[in-house]
Amino acid sequence: PWNPKQTPAPHPSIPRFRSDPLGWKARELPEASTESAAGDRGVSPLLGSRSPAPEMEMDAAERLRWRFSDGGLTDLLDARSLHGSPDIGKRMQFHSSLVQRLALEKEIEGHVGCVNAIAWNSSGSLLISGSDDTRVNIWNYANQELLHEIDTGHSANVFCTKFVPETCDEVVVSGAGDAEVRVFNLSRLSGIRPREIAMEPAAVYQCHSRRVKKLAVEGGNPNVVWSASEDGTIRQHDFRECSSCPRAGLVNQECRNVLLDLRSGGKKSLADPPRQPMSFKSCDISSVRPHQLLVGGSDAFARLYDRRMLPPLSSCQTRRKPPPCIKMFCPLHLAENRKSSLHLTHVAFSPNGNEVLLSYSGEHVYLFDVDPDNTSPVRYTADDVRDQLCLLPFHKEPRKQKSKRDKFPAKRNLCRVDMLKKLTQVVIKSLETGTNLMHGIEACCEILEAMESDIDDSTRHDCLCTRAGLYLKRRWKNDVYMAIRDCNEARSIDFASFQAHLFMADALLQIGRLKEAREYAEAAHSLVPPNSVSAEQVENIKKRLAAAELEKNKKDQQGNTNTDARHGRLRSLSDLLFRSDVSGSSSQEGREDSDYDDEMELDFDTSVSGDESRDSDPGAVRGSLRLKLHRREDQPNEQSVGNGSAESTCNGDSAYEPDVAIDMKKRYVGHCNVGTDIKQASFLGEQGEFIASGSDDGRWFIWEKRTGRLVKMLAGDGAVVNCIQSHPYDCAVATSGIDNTIKVYDLILFFS
C-alpha cells in the first residue's frame, strides 16, 4: 500500500514495477539485462556501468544521486508537486532509468521476408509493417495480434509504409522497389476476417522510374503523401486530384506532381556545383513546421527545403535546374570527401523540429542544429574546410583569444563540481594507461556538457586536449578529425597551449599532412623547456614525422619511375586500372582514401625494342593505345530522362556561388552501417533525449543525445537491424531487419 507520508503519489503514467514506482531500486539493480559496450570493466555510474570503477570510489549517496544523468524519477515528481510540471509525461517517457530497463517483450511473426518498414499510428495503438513478401501488415499494439494482412500487389519489395493522418487509421500507403506508390482504404475490409488475401488499391501512382525508398506525411493532412525515389525526385501525391497515373517512360506521361527534382543535383564536394546524378534514400517533414522538407540521398549532404519556396509542381518531361535549399547539413570532415560510396541512408527531424539526425553508409550518426547562430563556427564554406581542419600555429597570427572565465558565479552545484573532478581523474588515468578509451571519451563528454557554472575555461581546455589524445589513441573512423576539432577549440581558449599543438601535430601526421604536422611540432617544441618530458614527446613526434617523410619520398620516387616507364607489354587493363600509382595517390596527401581516379588518361606504347622482343608474347598486340576513362556518374547530364527534354544544369557554373553548410554538433559511434541502405537512426520519445540506430551486427544501439555516450545495446536481429521506431507515448520501441519478425521492446516489469 502507498504511504503518502514517505513519498509523493506516483503519476498515473508511471508504471508500477517491482513495487518501486519511484525507480530507486532500479539504481541498485545489476544490469544483467543490459548488453553494455563496456564489457566487464567498471566505470563511473555516470557513464552507465555495472559498477563503479576502482579508480573512482564514491559513497552510496553519490551513487544513488548520480546514477542517471537526468536525475531520479523523484526529482520529476517533486517538481510536479511543488511547481507543477505539465510535461512530466514527456519527460518520463524515456527517462534514463527506464531506458536501462528496456528489454525484448515479444517477437511478432507474420511476414515471410525481410521487414523493411515499420511505423506507428498517431495514437500508438497500431503498428504497420512492410516486407519483401510485398505484404503490408497491421498489428494491435496491446496484444501484438495481426489485424490485417494486405496483399499490396507490388511486384517488388515494400520499402516504406505509413498511416495517412486524420483518416481514423483507415488509409495506408506503401512504396516499393517496383517504383510504385499504392494507397489502400481499410474501410473496405469486411472486418470479420483478420486476413485478406488481396485488396484492390484505392490509388496507384506509377510515375517514379526507380525504387521508392521513403514516404512522408504531414500531421493533420489526410489528402497528400510525399514519396522519395532513387530516380532523384520527390513527388507529391494528392488523393483529391487523381487516383492513378501512367507508368514512367510512357509517351503520354504528364504527371505534374514533381515537387523536387534533383536528378542532376548531387555534389561530390561542397565546392562543386550541383550537377552529379542524385538518388534519394530518405526524406522527412517537420512535425512542428510542416513546410520544412528534409531530404538525403546518394551524396554526403542533407538538404532542407521550404516547400513554400519551391517552384510549382511540374512534369518529369522537363528537367529543371536544381532549386536552392535553405539549409545544407554535412560534417565538415566529410564535405570534401569525394568518395562515391559515401551517402546517407536516413534523415530525421527531432520531435521539436530544432535538430536533424543523419545516418551515413560506412560512417557514423551525426546530430545538427537546424538554426545555429549566424556567427556560430558550425557554419562553413568550402574555403573554411582546410582552415578549420588545420589552423595556423600560434606564432602565425592566431585568431583572437577568448577571455578566460576563471571566476565562478556565486551559485554553484558543489556536489556536481566534485563529481566532475572525480571524472577528470578517470579521464587522465585512461589517457596515461591507454585503457578504457571509450569510457574516458564519454567521461570527457560528460564534463564538457556540464553547466558553464560548474567548470572554468582551464578545466574545459584540459578536458578538450585530453579527449583529443584519447581520440588519437582509439583511432576509430574519423576520430582523428574529432581530435583536430578539439585541438582547435582548445587553442581558442589558450592559443599557446602545448597539449593542443602536440596533439594537432600527431593528428595531422596520422592523416598524412606532414608539412603542417611539422609546423605544429616545431611550435610545440618552442613552448616547452629542453630536456623535459614534454620535449621528449615532441621528439617522438618528430621521429615519426621523419620516418613518414622518408617513406613518402620512396613512394614518390617509385611512382615517378613507374610513370616514366612508357614502353612495355600491355597484358591486361586491370594491371593499370588498379595500380595505386595511377591514381596519383602521392599527390593526395591528407586523404584517407583517394577518389581522384574518376577520370584517367592512359597513354601506353606497346611497341617493343631491344632484347625485350625475344621475351614478348607472340600474340601481344603492338601499337599505341590511348584511353580516356570516366566514371559513369561523371558523364555529362545532357541526356533526357524517360522521354522528357533536358535543360542544361551547368549553364550557371561560371556564376556558381558555393554553398554554406552546417557542421555537426554531436557524433554517435559504435554501430556498423554498411550492409543495407535503409538503416534508420531515430530520436526516442516525445522529447528525443536519446538516439537509436540499427547495426549490421544484429544489434541496435541507444546513445544519450546530450553527451553522445552509448548507454545500451540490445540484440535485435539474426543479421541486420534496419528499422527503429519508438512508441509515440510509451517507453517502448519496435525494430525490424533481415529477419521476418518484428521485435517489440518494453520495460522489464518485476514484482516482489
Side-chain angles (χ1 to χ4, degrees):
W2 190 261
N3 187 350
K5 294 182 179 181
Q6 295 179 354
T7 50
H11 190 271
S13 65
I14 303 176
R16 298 194 178 195
F17 40 80
R18 237 192 204 285
S19 301
D20 176 29
L22 298 183
W24 289 103
K25 292 184 180 180
R27 306 179 187 189
E28 301 173 349
L29 287 174
E31 299 178 16
S33 61
T34 302
E35 301 177 35
S36 172
D40 293 330
R41 297 190 181 98
V43 292
S44 159
L46 199 58
L47 303 180
S49 69
R50 293 188 174 97
S51 60
E55 64 266 25
M56 183 179 166
E57 296 297 335
M58 296 181 295
D59 57 33
E62 287 176 315
R63 289 199 300 271
L64 194 65
R65 180 65 186 87
W66 295 106
R67 171 76 178 193
F68 306 111
S69 60
D70 47 3
L73 299 183
T74 50
D75 297 335
L76 299 180
L77 296 174
D78 290 343
R80 184 196 63 171
S81 60
L82 296 176
H83 312 290
S85 180
D87 62 341
I88 187 172
K90 295 181 180 180
R91 299 173 64 185
M92 286 283 303
Q93 183 188 3
F94 275 90
H95 188 273
S96 56
S97 61
L98 303 184
V99 170
Q100 291 291 348
R101 292 182 171 216
L102 279 175
L104 180 63
E105 179 186 5
K106 187 169 183 180
E107 189 169 348
I108 306 174
E109 299 180 353
H111 285 290
V112 291
C114 304
V115 182
N116 304 315
I118 52 176
W120 298 96
N121 66 344
S122 57
S123 65
S125 61
L126 300 175
L127 179 69
I128 191 170
S129 60
S131 168
D132 285 357
D133 60 14
T134 71
R135 293 177 181 270
V136 168
N137 290 352
I138 299 177
W139 315 84
N140 186 317
Y141 169 57
N143 54 22
Q144 284 86 45
E145 290 185 357
L146 179 63
L147 298 179
H148 302 294
E149 182 178 7
I150 304 172
D151 187 354
T152 61
H154 284 295
S155 59
N157 307 351
V158 175
F159 286 115
C160 43
T161 184
K162 290 275 190 182
F163 288 100
V164 177
E166 304 299 328
T167 61
C168 298
D169 302 320
E170 292 184 342
V171 179
V172 299
V173 59
S174 63
D178 58 6
E180 294 183 358
V181 175
R182 294 183 168 230
V183 182
F184 299 90
N185 194 329
L186 304 183
S187 63
R188 300 179 183 179
L189 297 176
S190 61
I192 300 175
R193 295 178 299 168
R195 302 194 178 200
E196 294 289 335
I197 301 300
M199 181 179 180
E200 288 296 322
V204 179
Y205 302 101
Q206 302 174 300
C207 41
H208 282 296
S209 60
R210 295 186 64 186
R211 297 187 299 180
V212 177
K213 299 306 288 289
K214 191 67 67 175
L215 296 169
V217 295
E218 175 188 352
N221 188 345
N223 302 309
V224 182
V225 169
W226 292 266
S227 60
S229 169
E230 290 180 339
D231 63 12
T233 64
I234 302 287
R235 294 178 183 262
Q236 179 174 299
H237 309 284
D238 194 326
F239 306 151
R240 298 165 297 185
E241 293 184 353
C242 63
S243 60
S244 64
C245 62
R247 186 173 296 278
L250 296 181
V251 177
N252 60 347
Q253 185 186 17
E254 278 294 340
C255 294
R256 304 191 66 84
N257 60 4
V258 177
L259 175 68
L260 181 61
D261 185 354
L262 290 189
R263 287 175 288 180
S264 299
K267 297 160 67 75
K268 281 196 170 184
S269 70
L270 187 61
D272 292 343
R275 59 186 178 190
Q276 299 295 327
M278 179 76 169
S279 62
F280 286 119
K281 304 293 183 180
S282 182
C283 68
D284 194 22
I285 288 179
S286 172
S287 59
V288 179
R289 293 175 282 273
H291 57 273
Q292 292 186 347
L293 171 67
L294 181 67
V295 299
S298 56
D299 63 10
F301 305 95
R303 298 161 175 85
L304 179 63
Y305 293 91
D306 188 330
R307 291 192 287 118
R308 302 169 301 181
M309 300 170 61
L310 291 175
L313 298 179
S314 65
S315 166
C316 65
Q317 298 288 338
T318 301
R319 177 180 295 186
R320 289 178 170 178
K321 182 178 180 180
C325 59
I326 59 173
K327 301 282 176 60
M328 182 175 287
F329 306 95
C330 181
L332 184 144
H333 59 277
L334 299 181
E336 300 292 326
N337 189 283
R338 292 184 176 270
K339 288 184 181 178
S340 58
S341 61
L342 182 65
H343 66 273
L344 289 157
T345 64
H346 191 73
V347 299
F349 280 103
S350 63
N352 61 11
N354 295 330
E355 297 169 320
V356 296
L357 195 65
L358 309 185
S359 180
Y360 285 88
S361 176
E363 260 287 339
H364 308 296
V365 175
Y366 295 93
L367 182 71
F368 300 77
D369 275 326
V370 172
D371 293 308
D373 188 275
N374 289 330
T375 60
S376 173
V378 298
R379 293 179 180 270
Y380 67 94
T381 64
D383 294 335
D384 298 327
V385 173
R386 180 178 175 83
D387 294 339
Q388 293 197 29
L389 288 181
C390 180
L391 292 178
L392 293 174
F394 75 99
H395 55 78
K396 294 185 178 180
E397 301 179 7
R399 63 186 184 184
K400 187 177 180 180
Q401 183 183 5
K402 295 181 180 179
S403 60
K404 289 190 175 183
R405 179 175 44 82
D406 293 322
K407 294 184 179 180
F408 296 103
K411 188 176 181 180
R412 299 177 65 201
N413 189 327
L414 298 180
C415 184
R416 176 73 172 174
V417 172
D418 185 59
M419 176 60 61
L420 294 178
K421 289 180 179 179
K422 293 181 178 181
L423 279 176
T424 303
Q425 298 302 315
V426 175
V427 169
I428 294 174
K429 186 167 185 178
S430 178
L431 180 61
E432 291 175 349
T433 62
T435 59
N436 291 330
L437 297 178
M438 185 170 182
H439 295 148
I441 291 172
E442 290 177 341
C444 286
C445 295
E446 185 71 34
I447 296 171
L448 292 170
E449 292 296 329
M451 295 180 60
E452 289 189 1
S453 60
D454 292 337
I455 61 174
D456 59 356
D457 281 343
S458 176
T459 303
R460 184 173 297 276
H461 165 272
D462 293 344
C463 193
L464 286 167
C465 292
T466 304
R467 187 170 66 174
L470 292 170
Y471 278 137
L472 294 174
K473 284 192 174 184
R474 188 175 69 172
R475 296 190 180 186
W476 285 10
K477 190 179 183 73
N478 289 329
D479 272 356
V480 63
Y481 291 103
M482 299 301 104
I484 290 175
R485 287 167 58 98
D486 283 350
C487 290
N488 286 336
E489 188 173 349
R491 291 180 71 249
S492 70
I493 299 173
D494 180 6
F495 69 87
S497 165
F498 165 74
Q499 284 184 312
H501 283 79
L502 179 70
F503 289 137
M504 180 68 90
D506 193 355
L508 293 170
L509 171 59
Q510 289 190 25
I511 62 175
R513 295 193 174 181
L514 305 184
K515 180 181 177 182
E516 295 90 343
R518 182 164 291 281
E519 289 182 354
Y520 273 92
E522 295 294 343
H525 183 76
S526 65
L527 292 170
V528 294
N531 302 323
S532 63
V533 176
S534 298
E536 292 180 5
Q537 293 176 322
V538 177
E539 289 302 319
N540 289 335
I541 293 287
K542 289 185 175 181
K543 290 178 181 179
R544 291 169 53 199
L545 270 169
E549 290 171 344
L550 180 61
E551 184 66 22
K552 178 181 178 296
N553 292 334
K554 288 182 179 180
K555 288 184 178 181
D556 289 346
Q557 292 176 0
Q558 292 176 358
N560 293 334
T561 302
N562 293 333
T563 302
D564 293 338
R566 303 276 306 266
H567 299 280
R569 292 194 304 272
L570 180 62
R571 295 178 182 270
S572 170
L573 282 177
S574 63
D575 294 339
L576 289 177
L577 300 184
F578 300 105
R579 269 170 41 190
S580 61
D581 54 336
V582 173
S583 63
S585 59
S586 60
S587 63
Q588 305 309 324
E589 181 177 301
R591 296 189 180 274
E592 293 181 342
D593 296 277
S594 175
D595 288 285
Y596 285 89
D597 54 352
D598 296 332
E599 179 177 324
M600 292 188 298
E601 288 193 20
L602 305 181
D603 193 355
F604 199 86
D605 189 352
T606 63
S607 62
V608 295
S609 61
D611 294 336
E612 294 178 353
S613 61
R614 292 193 293 269
D615 299 326
S616 62
D617 290 344
V621 179
R622 293 171 174 78
S624 177
L625 175 65
R626 184 176 182 84
L627 299 177
K628 187 171 184 179
L629 306 179
H630 296 268
R631 294 179 65 93
R632 181 175 60 183
E633 62 193 36
D634 284 336
Q635 293 174 355
N637 294 312
E638 291 155 1
Q639 297 178 350
S640 61
V641 175
N643 295 299
S645 61
E647 296 178 1
S648 173
T649 61
C650 305
N651 292 338
D653 284 359
S654 58
Y656 171 70
E657 295 183 4
D659 291 307
V660 176
I662 297 175
D663 195 11
M664 65 149 201
K665 74 172 184 178
K666 194 63 66 178
R667 182 182 68 146
Y668 307 96
V669 303
H671 75 303
C672 179
N673 181 9
V674 177
T676 58
D677 65 352
I678 57 173
K679 200 167 281 90
Q680 297 178 356
S682 305
F683 293 92
L684 298 185
E686 291 188 87
Q687 289 201 318
E689 292 303 321
F690 290 89
I691 305 296
S693 174
S695 178
D696 289 347
D697 60 4
R699 293 180 286 185
W700 61 285
F701 293 62
I702 302 177
W703 298 273
E704 187 180 45
K705 184 185 76 172
R706 182 179 62 90
T707 63
R709 68 184 179 98
L710 180 63
V711 297
K712 196 173 183 68
M713 293 188 298
L714 290 147
D717 195 273
V720 177
V721 177
N722 283 324
C723 304
I724 296 180
Q725 292 293 314
S726 69
H727 191 275
Y729 303 111
D730 288 352
C731 185
V733 180
T735 69
S736 68
I738 301 300
D739 291 346
N740 55 15
T741 59
I742 302 168
K743 282 84 172 177
V744 177
Y745 299 80
D746 211 329
L747 296 177
I748 306 175
L749 304 180
F750 294 102
F751 298 92
S752 60

